[in-house]
Amino acid sequence: MKARKLLMIPGPIEFEPAVMQTMAVPTPSHVAPNFIETFGRALELMREVWCAPSGQPFAIAGTGTLAMDMAAANLTENGDPVLVVSTGYFGERYAEILRRYGAAVDVLSAPPGETVSLDQVEHQLKQKAYKLMTFTHVDTSTAVLNDARAFGELGGKYGVLTVLDGVCSVAGEEIRQEQWGLDVVLTASQKAVGVPPGLALMVVSQKALAAFRNRQTPVCNYYADWGNWLPIMEAYENRKPAYFGTPAVNLIMALQTSLDLIVQEGMDARFRRHRQTGTAVRAALKAMGLNAIPSGDAWSANTLSAPYFPEGVNGGELLGHISAAGVILAGGLLPSLKTRYFRIGHMGAVNRSDVLATVGAVESGLRKCGFPVESGAGLNAAQQVLDTE
Ligand code: PMP
């Protein structure tokens, strides 16, 4: 029997075998011609996956938090007014990062499971001339999905730079960075992009680069300074060697492999597949009698789900049964609700069998905890969605 359990948390996710093979290749020099070609190609592919043909890609060793940090460090100066729209844990983190750089931060927060209404955001943008607005596409603590296109439009209308934290969405949820007018779309490698943890990834619009170049004061973070990294990204894309900090060579090679697979699938097909997967998991949870944190389907993420433990069910016991059935899920993250819910990641390479195995494990776990679930209820609901074209 295979000993490995299915990892269905919201990152790190299950990776494609080809990506893992690339991780195991003997590490070449960071200036070897074949690596320069691979890095250059990875940057080109980022533009395709982000749907940002004239954006500037950055792929830097670090995590998603570094990507957040970089956008904040490079686009704000002391006293700059910034609006943070928060739908959970990572929105609050963004406010904290921005304050470190001296930004004058206003936060609009939604209660758990809700979004901040676009009217409220627009009302706020009318009150003050913000330089920057950040929002979380999918907050991984609540599974709430924001309308990225509408935020891009509002940014354009009010002349505010927009930063989308897409750590739990890029290459899963639909994003058309350039068409939607989003200035920075950032993520980390370990989620829907499909590469082990260790890369901070972002694509920056020409408008945001111009704002960066117009700074009056130096960037207050040496490693994060785009001025240090821009020549490196440009050099690799022009197939020339360059050095600022040693790239995470195997991770960059794995990135190229994964982005290649993503582009082969096609962005439209990939967005559609994630929508179908998300709908299937939501239908299954509902059929098993579970409520999720997002209060409406229209703002429920397709990359992860966040169901509450049902009344009378011990969360630790349920996750234990699910793990014994071969599926690893995540506990809660939002401090105010932490022990009351769990999280299922369903992004990237996740396939139909993974979804059904997960739903089956949740179903039998619930029964073992004494919660009445009709046999096959979740599986039937998921299959019905997965069987539609
Ligand atoms: N933003 C969101 C929406 C995330 O889900 C995460 C990670 N779970 C982060 C930021 C931070 O990324 P990392 O853990 O890679 O630093």
Side-chain angles (χ1 to χ4, degrees):
M1 188 174 91
K2 282 192 277 182
R4 194 175 189 286
K5 295 189 182 194
L6 192 58
L7 187 59
M8 295 291 286
I9 66 171
I13 62 161
E14 291 272 327
F15 302 118
E16 293 279 1
V19 170
M20 296 316 291
Q21 279 157 15
T22 316
M23 291 298 293
V25 164
T27 305
S29 157
H30 60 293
V31 289
N34 61 348
F35 178 67
I36 293 172
E37 173 59 31
T38 300
F39 201 162
R41 185 72 196 124
L43 294 168
E44 288 163 2
L45 287 165
M46 279 177 72
R47 284 204 188 83
E48 288 184 49
V49 171
W50 268 244
C51 303
S54 53
Q56 174 59 52
F58 291 85
I60 316 278
T63 74
T65 307
L66 174 69
M68 297 168 78
D69 204 19
M70 279 187 118
N74 286 278
L75 292 177
T76 56
E77 296 182 66
N78 206 19
D80 279 346
V82 176
L83 179 61
V84 172
V85 180
S86 172
T87 38
Y89 182 90
F90 290 101
E92 302 304 316
R93 174 174 292 187
Y94 224 148
E96 214 176 306
I97 293 172
L98 285 153
R99 287 191 198 105
R100 283 286 174 97
Y101 293 107
V105 181
D106 290 334
V107 183
L108 287 178
S109 295
E114 308 289 328
T115 56
V116 176
S117 79
L118 292 169
D119 284 348
Q120 213 183 329
V121 176
E122 181 154 18
H123 177 77
Q124 192 63 32
L125 293 174
K126 280 182 185 156
Q127 307 298 309
K128 214 191 242 187
Y130 289 101
K131 178 173 185 193
L132 194 76
M133 167 168 68
T134 73
F135 67 104
T136 318
H137 199 185
V138 170
D139 201 297
T140 322
S141 68
T142 56
V144 165
L145 172 74
N146 268 308
D147 182 344
R149 181 203 292 247
F151 274 88
E153 280 167 10
L154 281 175
K157 186 168 169 190
Y158 290 92
V160 183
L161 293 169
T162 45
V163 175
L164 177 147
D165 171 353
V167 174
C168 201
S169 71
V170 170
E173 302 285 355
E174 181 173 1
I175 305 174
R176 304 188 187 275
Q177 180 175 358
E178 200 150 314
Q179 195 186 328
W180 295 355
L182 297 162
D183 291 298
V184 179
V185 174
L186 61 88
T187 190
S189 50
Q190 74 272 18
K191 305 224 186 202
V193 164
V195 175
L199 290 178
L201 305 168
M202 78 208 78
V203 175
V204 179
S205 72
Q206 292 303 324
K207 195 165 105 200
L209 277 185
F212 158 71
R213 291 193 179 101
N214 283 337
R215 292 178 64 95
Q216 306 297 308
T217 54
V219 173
C220 297
N221 181 324
Y222 183 72
Y223 184 74
D225 190 339
W226 283 342
N228 288 327
W229 291 106
L230 193 56
I232 309 304
M233 300 301 130
E234 286 170 344
Y236 275 103
E237 238 190 310
N238 292 322
R239 308 301 195 262
K240 296 210 172 73
Y243 169 75
F244 169 65
T246 310
V249 174
N250 284 69
L251 284 170
I252 295 284
M253 296 193 303
L255 176 68
Q256 193 262 322
T257 303
S258 192
L259 294 177
D260 228 2
L261 292 170
I262 292 170
V263 166
Q264 273 169 40
E265 180 176 8
M267 296 318 296
D268 289 347
R270 193 168 174 93
F271 298 147
R272 207 176 322 116
R273 177 167 67 78
H274 279 81
R275 268 198 299 276
Q276 190 178 37
T277 305
T279 307
V281 174
R282 280 194 297 281
L285 294 172
K286 206 163 163 191
M288 292 186 285
L290 301 190
N291 295 319
I293 291 188
S295 59
D297 271 351
W299 54 95
S300 292
N302 296 301
T303 48
L304 91 151
S305 297
Y308 285 106
F309 295 118
E311 203 70 42
V313 167
N314 178 300
E317 188 190 335
L318 176 62
L319 293 180
H321 288 310
I322 294 170
S323 171
V327 180
I328 298 169
L329 301 182
L333 180 62
L334 197 69
S336 61
L337 295 173
K338 203 170 163 48
T339 57
R340 292 186 46 207
Y341 74 106
F342 62 111
R343 294 174 302 146
I344 307 170
H346 34 81
M347 63 189 117
V350 65
N351 63 22
R352 179 190 168 91
S353 311
D354 299 337
V355 170
L356 295 178
T358 304
V359 171
V362 173
E363 203 174 292
S364 50
L366 284 168
R367 266 197 301 275
K368 282 192 173 137
C369 288
F371 183 75
V373 185
E374 196 191 318
S375 186
L379 288 167
N380 269 329
Q383 270 170 312
Q384 267 181 34
V385 176
L386 295 171
D387 286 344
T388 55
E389 281 307 305

